[in-house]
Amino acid sequence: MKNQYFISGAALFTLILVLFTGCKTTNEEPADTNFKAIEAFNEPARPDGQKDVIELRADPIDTVRMAIIGLGMRGSQAVKRYNYIEGAKIVAIADVVPEYVQRAQEMLATAGNPAADEYTGAEDWKKICEREDIDLVYVCTHWDLHTPIAVYAMEHGKHVAVEVPAALTIEECWQLVNTAERTRKHCMQLENCNYDFFEMATLNMAQQGVFGEIVHAEGAYIHDLRWLNFKEKDGYWDMWRLKHLEKEDGNTYPTHGLGPIAHILNIHRGDRMNYLVSISSDQFGMSAYAKDKFGDTSRYARVDYAKGDMNTSIIKTVKGKTMLIQHDVTSPRPYSRLHMVSGTKGFARKWPEKGIALEPNAHHFLDEEEMQEMLEKYEHPIVTEVGEKAKEVGGHGGMDFIMDYRLIYCLRNGLPLDQDVYDAAEWSAIIQLSRISNKNEGMPVKVPDFTRGAWQKVNQVKYYTK
């Protein structure tokens, strides 16, 4: 890692003026046009003989034999959904909690499917990856195992679908990219929010030019999880998520808000993230909640939580677009992913309430009836195909089912996946990059080009159907 730069508050203010407004200093000196963002990480050259995996196609698989590793809240629901997906067969399941394994077996039996092979050892995921009769490893463990399992699975000839975030550090992001490029195996981050109904409609609208040139977009993960983070039983296994809040600041969970707008902006398919700035508030909410629920002298109240309540990160792309991404899981406020899209001809948002505004009357939202007509007109073709079934099966209102359906459909037909390893790496990279910027008082930090220039090969995100 290169040196990280620290700067005084006064100098920071001057640099922000220079960078974002082009203003002169108070002494009327010329602006410093040579100012550069921190390059905290080198971009390693692509190893000899290794090629990019933009729009990677693999051999079709008639029946996708899959293993699900991690059967807690996310993994158990995946077992339930896959009982309804044609062409997928769960052959192995794993969790260190035997009760979760038995629960998954009951789900399979209730659906009339055969029992899967069981694994309960702490490193049994390696045995699963080494099997010859598995095509897809579906990773739903705690965050720290996401990259190790994904890399090991690809090295043993498996395609991988990994829960968010796919990686926690830039080093892990490069591990995913290099392994996928070397093995020619798919590595998809399971970003379910890309498949929500409104997000899919706005993607379709953007691609058909309804909003004109997209200039700015916003996303977030604002979700009051205090009750769940402090839940000692039937919550996060070994309270792993609380432990991350104890040791890490920055945007620790960026992809739910970032994923949908990254696709709308064609990130690494015609554009890419250039640099970001990130600032966190101090931490207040976790301590206040712990004192209120467990008492001032409780072990939870005595912890010095590193995670600031609200993190705000701003990303600028190579082509001059901006994205605002927020993260807050400790404040008592309504759930929101923002999902706002602003272009030269119109605007759409999902929270706090849905709205669409278009030229020539963009100062006012369409009324409810007009908005519904627009959403029906621009319903994404994939939603038209499986949306009703998705609502029946469920999974965050159906978006989880659409995500799983699309994954299996693409594998069975030898198509590029909707999300690839570069999505997984770039979106996950925000975690460490935001931490570096925040520690340096909001200094801009360069985003590595995980495609190593291949983002210029195509100019639009495509959801292939043939």
Side-chain angles (χ1 to χ4, degrees), residues 116-231:
D117 295 338
E118 300 179 2
Y119 295 83
T120 56
E123 293 195 346
D124 278 356
W125 53 269
K126 293 181 179 179
K127 298 178 183 178
I128 290 175
C129 295
E130 292 163 2
R131 286 176 54 159
E132 296 294 330
D133 62 339
I134 291 174
D135 305 300
L136 171 67
V137 174
Y138 198 100
V139 184
C140 298
T141 64
H142 59 84
W143 297 345
D144 299 87
L145 280 178
H146 286 183
T147 296
I149 296 176
V151 167
Y152 198 77
M154 286 187 283
E155 288 176 340
H156 286 81
K158 312 298 186 288
H159 298 299
V160 176
V162 57
E163 266 296 344
V164 300
L168 295 175
T169 65
I170 302 300
E171 180 182 1
E172 287 189 340
C173 291
W174 281 116
Q175 289 176 21
L176 293 175
V177 167
N178 283 325
T179 306
E181 290 185 350
R182 184 176 67 253
T183 63
R184 316 306 291 174
K185 293 298 178 181
H186 289 298
C187 179
M188 173 180 170
Q189 184 171 236
L190 293 166
E191 185 38 74
N192 55 338
C193 295
N194 279 53
Y195 299 91
D196 211 349
F197 296 80
F198 189 83
E199 285 82 343
M200 291 285 278
T202 53
L203 172 65
N204 194 23
M205 293 171 73
Q207 291 184 335
Q208 295 196 42
V210 174
F211 303 122
E213 183 81 9
I214 305 300
V215 177
H216 175 75
E218 299 180 5
Y221 187 68
I222 297 172
H223 191 184
D224 185 0
L225 293 177
R226 294 172 300 170
W227 66 277
L228 190 54
N229 285 325
F230 285 106
K231 196 173 184 181

Side-chain angles (χ1 to χ4, degrees), residues 370-394:
E370 291 174 319
M371 182 177 68
Q372 290 305 316
E373 289 177 356
M374 287 290 293
L375 293 175
E376 290 175 9
K377 178 180 179 180
Y378 291 99
E379 181 178 75
H380 197 283
I382 292 170
V383 172
T384 302
E385 179 184 357
V386 297
E388 290 305 312
K389 184 174 182 180
K391 292 176 183 178
E392 293 174 8
V393 175

Side-chain angles (χ1 to χ4, degrees), residues 78-143:
V79 173
K80 178 181 177 182
R81 295 192 303 274
Y82 271 98
N83 285 318
Y84 297 91
I85 295 179
E86 181 181 356
K89 182 180 180 181
I90 299 173
V91 299
I93 53 177
D95 200 285
V96 294
V97 180
E99 293 82 2
Y100 293 173
V101 175
Q102 292 309 307
R103 178 177 62 187
Q105 294 284 35
E106 292 169 4
M107 290 178 178
L108 292 171
T110 299
N113 290 319
D117 295 338
E118 300 179 2
Y119 295 83
T120 56
E123 293 195 346
D124 278 356
W125 53 269
K126 293 181 179 179
K127 298 178 183 178
I128 290 175
C129 295
E130 292 163 2
R131 286 176 54 159
E132 296 294 330
D133 62 339
I134 291 174
D135 305 300
L136 171 67
V137 174
Y138 198 100
V139 184
C140 298
T141 64
H142 59 84
W143 297 345

Side-chain angles (χ1 to χ4, degrees), residues 13 31 41 151 158 165 196 232 234 272 290 307 391 401 408 420:
F13 178 74
F41 299 93
V151 167
K158 312 298 186 288
D196 211 349
E232 295 183 349
D234 300 321
R272 72 173 183 87
K307 180 70 180 72
K391 292 176 183 178
F401 178 85
I408 299 303
D420 62 20

Side-chain angles (χ1 to χ4, degrees), residues 256-361:
H256 282 337
L258 177 59
I261 63 174
H263 269 189
I264 287 174
L265 286 168
N266 296 310
I267 295 301
H268 89 243
R269 300 169 181 88
D271 199 357
R272 72 173 183 87
M273 302 180 203
N274 189 8
Y275 64 88
L276 65 74
V277 296
S278 184
I279 298 176
S280 292
S281 72
D282 288 348
Q283 188 280 129
F284 302 93
M286 296 294 286
S287 295
Y289 184 89
K291 291 176 182 179
D292 181 57
K293 295 296 181 182
F294 308 106
D296 291 353
T297 60
S298 67
R299 63 188 180 97
Y300 295 131
R302 296 196 304 269
V303 171
D304 184 16
Y305 299 100
K307 180 70 180 72
D309 290 15
M310 170 62 81
N311 174 271
T312 299
S313 300
I314 300 174
I315 303 166
K316 191 164 187 177
T317 76
V318 168
K319 293 194 172 180
K321 315 299 179 62
T322 54
M323 294 183 279
L324 180 146
I325 309 296
Q326 291 188 315
H327 176 274
D328 185 345
V329 294
T330 64
S331 298
R333 53 183 292 184
Y335 179 90
S336 174
R337 296 198 307 271
L338 292 180
H339 191 69
M340 187 277 281
V341 180
S342 181
T344 58
K345 293 183 179 180
F347 170 96
R349 74 175 185 197
K350 189 171 183 180
W351 281 277
E353 59 182 354
K354 292 180 182 177
I356 296 174
L358 302 172
E359 291 279 44
N361 298 308

